[in-house]
Amino acid sequence: MKIALMGNPNVGKSTVFNVLTGSNQQVGNWAGKTVERKSGIIHRANEEIELIDLPGTYSLTAYSQEEIVTREYILREKPDVVMAMVDASNIERNLYLVLQILELAPRVVIGLNMMDLAKTAGITIHSNKLALALNVPVVEIIAAKGQGIEEFLTEAIRVGKLKKDPIADDVPYPEELENRIQAMERLLSDTIWATKYPLRWLAIKRLEQDPEIGQTWKSIPQTNQRNRSTDPCCDPGDPVKYELQESVSLPGEALLQAYEAEGWSKDHFEMAVADAKYQYISKILPEFRVNENPVKRTWTDKLDEWILSPFWGYPIMVIILSLVFWFSFVASAPLGGAVSEAMAWAADVIVVIMQWGQMPEVIQSLVRDGIFAGVGAVLAFVPQIAIFFAFFSLMQDSGYLARAAFLGDRFMQLMGLHGKSFFSLVSGFGCNVPGIMATRTLEDPKDRLITMLINPLIPCVPRLGVMSAVVAAFFPGSRGAFIMVSLLLLSMLLVMFSALFLRRVVRQKERSAFVMELPLYHVPTMRNVLLPTWQKTYSFLKRAWTFILVASIVVWVLSSYPQGVPMNETWAGKMGGWLAFIGQPLGFDWRIMVAIVFGFTAKETTLSTLGILYGVAADASQSIAQAMTGAMTPLGAYTFLVVYMLYIPCLASVVTTYKESRSLGWTSFGVAYNLILSFIIGWLIFHGGQLFGFQ
């Protein structure tokens, strides 16, 4: 059985999906789209059920990618039943999507969520009367508390097994509109398209001149990917891909031209249909909704007086984000140190075992100085990443992140960005890969491209970890805090400059207004916080045992051979010698240039590479940074920090940019732009500092 889970954004779909599927999920992209696809397998009564979490959307008109993906899935895959989530505290707007679903799928079960919040707001919903009004089963649930979710699924399974499709009432349209719909129905009733789509829906979409309905697609079955390990940074894609065979114009062109002459344009039809649906909802609403105390102020109203205040909102946001960064980078330091010590202890134990087994010295060196020195230094960042994304999920699930985006919209507009770009840029502080993927929330392709190109200028957790270690070695005490703040401010200034510059390069159209729903505040659930945190942390760990492990071994080989020669005569030294002419104008020695090159695979490898090249064990990142103090001056160190913060994004970010933009040209432009910008700014800082007497 195949079940589709649908609903508006922020209606609790993710909570229901996570409860029902647990960790048995597949995360990827819809075929040909940059919209995330989630599916999971459920077993009930010896039956396997595939649950598809469709993107949150307010309607099924073919405008945004989310709307197109959701509608195409219902039309092509024809799920056995649709589980439609509805926010009981905001039921009028939610029912608009339900009416559109009923036009496409006869088997629907409504999950009436957030009943507790509705009651707090003085709203009573009689679910049995709602079911009678729409002729659709309704189940009351409180997803955040896990109440009613299993009953919701059980009812969906029952409806999916019905021998006959239930008959839902049609939305009554005004006579003038109804006559035109029926005329188009008669015209299309004998065509092949009437066998593919519900006739009434087809007639309405033809009147709206929807371009999608004239397309014929051929399904291309792909390899089943259910057993593939879930990695949010990867793109497993859609188990069924589609190939466009033809795109034709449906009959009725003459009728449309006649209606156009009467003043009924495509936009007129869209507005008339939407208006009729909302009038129908307003008509049936009193049958099942009672406002007991409509003037009662909710906790959301009280909190928003402060959080959305033009005066208090920004200081509150600064305090919250400061706490997030403090916990991620300062409070997590003992955990990172514990990881480093554990890796050093494990390396010592393994080396002792290898010595007992009389393994060759070169193998012992590979394990101790290559694998454990490289990967160990990187794994010290895991607590920082996990804590950052835990707080990020906490802010998102509580409803605060949407309000932070609302407050940040003013600054985004100054940079020529859309307000939703705030999500991407904040995510980038954790990891640029999910930050780039977060651009999917932007409807305009130009906004999306600009945001993903500037996202790598945001220093991620691994970069900030390396930078913190270098700052602590070269700028101890209060100077270190000042240096870190100056680097972050420089990053923000370059993000603003780059956004304004790219607005001209990308030739952006008129930007759309920032329209966004502010959800009610929720008490975050542990599942909704821990599951995304684990997915993102796991993707980092997976990289640690792929890119970083390979890079560490390669660096060890290059720095160890030929054996018995000084470090600058090894293969790594010779490679650094070839690159020295690039680093000399910036005050970099060959070791720094080699580390910068290998940092392209993953920025975390920079620290492990330096540890290997300087001959320092990576069980303490501070000691690696201190070893650098003999190779460069504080001015050179600050120049290195600037270049390291800005230069080429890591390989995973580049691959993600290509997947999201589907453009090799723009991906190459982004890599070249970051590289050129970093060396220009680095050169200006190094020589400007020397001009003013800094060393």
Side-chain angles (χ1 to χ4, degrees):
M1 178 178 289
K2 189 179 294 184
I3 299 177
L5 183 62
M6 294 179 62
N8 288 177
N10 303 310
V11 79
K13 281 193 312 92
S14 297
T15 303
V16 171
F17 181 76
N18 291 336
V19 168
L20 292 176
T21 62
S23 60
N24 190 20
Q25 301 179 10
Q26 294 292 324
V27 181
N29 281 358
W30 292 92
K33 304 290 183 184
T34 56
V35 177
E36 189 174 72
R37 169 198 169 98
K38 285 187 178 180
S39 63
I41 302 299
I42 307 171
H43 292 91
R44 294 292 187 278
N46 298 322
E47 183 173 10
E48 185 176 274
I49 301 168
E50 182 181 15
L51 182 64
I52 307 295
D53 184 13
L54 293 171
T57 180
Y58 294 107
S59 71
L60 296 180
T61 50
Y63 286 126
S64 70
Q65 292 196 59
E66 289 80 6
E67 292 170 344
I68 294 173
V69 161
T70 300
R71 196 179 75 178
E72 286 179 351
Y73 180 82
I74 299 297
L75 291 172
R76 292 182 194 168
E77 299 298 323
K78 294 180 172 52
D80 297 292
V81 62
V82 174
M83 298 171 68
M85 296 279 293
V86 170
D87 179 0
S89 63
N90 198 357
I91 195 168
E92 185 172 6
R93 193 203 59 233
N94 282 237
L95 287 181
Y96 180 77
L97 177 62
V98 171
L99 293 180
Q100 290 187 315
I101 295 172
L102 289 170
E103 290 177 334
L104 293 178
R107 303 185 182 215
V108 177
V109 177
I110 294 176
L112 199 57
N113 192 26
M114 304 183 191
M115 293 293 289
D116 53 339
L117 297 179
K119 185 176 181 180
T120 302
I123 300 172
T124 299
I125 305 293
H126 299 288
S127 57
N128 56 338
K129 294 181 179 179
L130 172 60
L132 289 173
L134 297 178
N135 196 25
V136 174
V138 178
V139 179
E140 296 184 8
I141 62 176
I142 302 177
K145 299 179 180 178
Q147 298 177 10
I149 295 178
E150 194 63 35
E151 291 81 357
F152 188 22
L153 176 63
T154 301
E155 183 63 18
I157 294 173
R158 183 192 69 80
V159 172
K161 291 181 177 180
L162 293 176
K163 295 182 178 179
K164 292 185 178 181
D165 291 339
I167 300 176
D169 296 333
D170 289 334
V171 175
Y173 292 110
E175 183 178 358
E176 191 176 14
L177 176 59
E178 182 66 36
N179 291 338
R180 286 170 168 77
I181 294 175
Q182 291 182 5
M184 186 59 75
E185 284 182 0
R186 290 191 293 269
L187 192 64
L188 299 173
S189 59
D190 295 330
T191 66
I192 189 175
W193 303 101
T195 63
K196 297 182 178 181
Y197 306 119
L199 181 58
R200 187 170 179 81
W201 179 85
L202 177 66
I204 293 173
K205 291 301 162 185
R206 184 67 183 108
L207 291 170
E208 295 176 352
Q209 301 181 42
D210 191 307
E212 301 280 332
I213 59 173
Q215 297 176 347
T216 301
W217 296 79
K218 177 184 177 182
S219 63
I220 305 174
Q222 302 292 309
T223 304
N224 193 311
Q225 303 184 30
R226 284 179 187 169
N227 294 325
R228 291 181 57 174
S229 61
T230 305
D231 185 352
C233 285
C234 295
D235 178 11
D238 195 338
V240 179
K241 292 187 180 293
Y242 296 92
E243 185 179 271
L244 181 62
Q245 286 187 313
E246 62 176 341
S247 182
V248 300
S249 180
L250 270 66
E253 192 64 36
L255 191 60
L256 290 174
Q257 291 179 2
Y259 290 156
E260 184 86 28
E262 297 172 3
W264 284 78
S265 63
K266 61 183 293 292
D267 294 334
H268 192 162
F269 275 112
E270 286 186 15
M271 293 299 296
V273 170
D275 185 61
K277 283 186 170 67
Y278 275 113
Q279 286 187 16
Y280 177 65
I281 293 170
S282 299
K283 179 182 176 182
I284 65 173
L285 206 58
E287 298 178 18
F288 52 82
R289 187 182 73 174
V290 177
N291 288 341
E292 297 175 350
N293 187 8
V295 297
K296 184 178 179 181
R297 296 174 71 246
T298 64
W299 273 106
T300 295
D301 297 327
K302 295 175 182 177
L303 288 173
D304 279 346
E305 281 189 3
W306 293 86
I307 290 176
L308 296 181
S309 165
F311 182 78
W312 293 107
Y314 294 102
I316 291 173
M317 181 172 68
V318 169
I319 291 172
I320 291 175
L321 294 180
S322 298
L323 286 173
V324 171
F325 284 111
W326 185 85
F327 276 104
S328 299
F329 299 109
V330 179
S332 67
L335 295 175
V339 172
S340 295
E341 292 176 4
M343 290 296 294
W345 175 83
D348 291 340
V349 171
I350 291 177
V351 168
V352 168
I353 295 174
M354 295 174 72
Q355 290 173 345
W356 178 78
Q358 297 183 347
M359 297 289 288
E361 179 64 30
V362 65
I363 302 298
Q364 296 179 34
S365 176
L366 170 63
V367 172
R368 180 184 60 249
D369 303 324
I371 296 175
F372 276 88
V375 177
V378 171
L379 291 182
F381 297 126
V382 170
Q384 296 177 350
I385 289 177
I387 291 174
F388 178 86
F389 279 115
F391 275 100
F392 186 83
S393 300
L394 189 72
M395 291 190 297
Q396 193 169 34
D397 198 43
S398 66
Y400 177 74
L401 197 59
R403 287 158 174 86
F406 174 79
L407 292 171
D409 178 54
R410 180 177 300 177
F411 298 103
M412 295 296 104
Q413 294 291 341
L414 290 176
M415 293 188 286
L417 296 175
H418 195 279
K420 290 183 180 179
S421 299
F422 181 85
F423 289 112
S424 171
L425 299 181
V426 172
S427 298
F429 280 108
C431 176
N432 294 123
V433 171
I436 294 169
M437 295 173 71
T439 60
R440 298 169 176 181
T441 60
L442 295 161
E443 290 82 6
D444 190 315
K446 307 293 184 178
D447 285 325
R448 194 157 55 243
L449 178 60
I450 292 173
T451 306
M452 71 174 66
L453 288 176
I454 65 172
N455 191 281
L457 295 175
I458 300 291
C460 59
V461 165
R463 270 187 283 177
L464 288 170
V466 174
M467 290 161 59
S468 299
V470 175
V471 166
F474 282 90
F475 309 99
S478 58
R479 284 195 305 158
F482 174 78
I483 292 295
M484 282 299 294
V485 170
S486 70
L487 290 168
L488 292 175
L489 288 176
L490 177 62
S491 171
M492 294 299 102
L493 287 173
L494 291 174
V495 165
M496 180 180 293
F497 164 79
S498 300
L500 294 172
F501 168 70
L502 289 171
R503 263 186 75 189
R504 299 180 179 275
V505 174
V506 177
R507 295 180 183 177
Q508 187 183 23
K509 300 176 184 177
E510 183 179 351
R511 284 174 289 127
S512 58
F514 179 42
V515 179
M516 181 180 184
E517 177 193 11
L518 295 180
L520 297 176
Y521 289 106
H522 306 283
V523 176
T525 64
M526 291 294 291
R527 184 185 295 270
N528 283 355
V529 172
L530 295 181
L531 188 59
T533 301
W534 160 245
Q535 289 175 340
K536 292 179 174 66
T537 305
Y538 170 76
S539 71
F540 175 82
L541 288 170
K542 190 173 182 179
R543 288 213 314 273
W545 293 106
T546 51
F547 290 129
I548 299 168
L549 176 61
V550 172
S552 297
I553 294 174
V554 170
V555 171
W556 176 85
V557 171
L558 293 176
S559 61
S560 300
Y561 289 90
Q563 290 186 322
V565 300
M567 180 68 75
N568 61 348
E569 295 182 12
T570 61
W571 294 336
K574 292 179 180 178
M575 185 177 71
W578 300 333
L579 299 171
F581 76 97
I582 300 176
Q584 282 177 355
L586 302 176
F588 296 165
D589 71 357
W590 66 270
R591 295 179 181 85
I592 298 297
M593 293 307 301
V594 172
I596 286 177
V597 169
F598 279 96
F600 172 64
T601 58
K603 291 301 179 72
E604 307 91 311
T605 62
T606 303
L607 198 61
S608 60
T609 301
L610 290 171
I612 294 170
L613 295 178
Y614 281 105
V616 179
D619 58 330
S621 60
Q622 180 80 357
S623 63
I624 298 173
Q626 286 178 337
M628 296 170 60
T629 58
M632 63 173 65
T633 64
L635 177 60
Y638 190 80
T639 305
F640 165 74
L641 289 169
V642 170
V643 173
Y644 175 74
M645 179 177 68
L646 300 175
Y647 87 111
I648 304 178
C650 67
L651 181 60
S653 296
V654 173
V655 171
T656 305
T657 300
Y658 173 71
K659 288 182 177 180
E660 296 296 313
S661 66
R662 297 198 293 276
S663 171
L664 182 60
W666 281 116
T667 303
S668 302
F669 173 84
V671 171
Y673 178 78
N674 281 51
L675 185 62
I676 294 171
L677 180 67
S678 65
F679 277 86
I680 288 176
I681 300 298
W683 188 89
L684 291 174
I685 288 175
F686 184 71
H687 290 278
Q690 287 184 327
L691 186 64
F692 285 100
F694 291 102
Q695 297 295 327

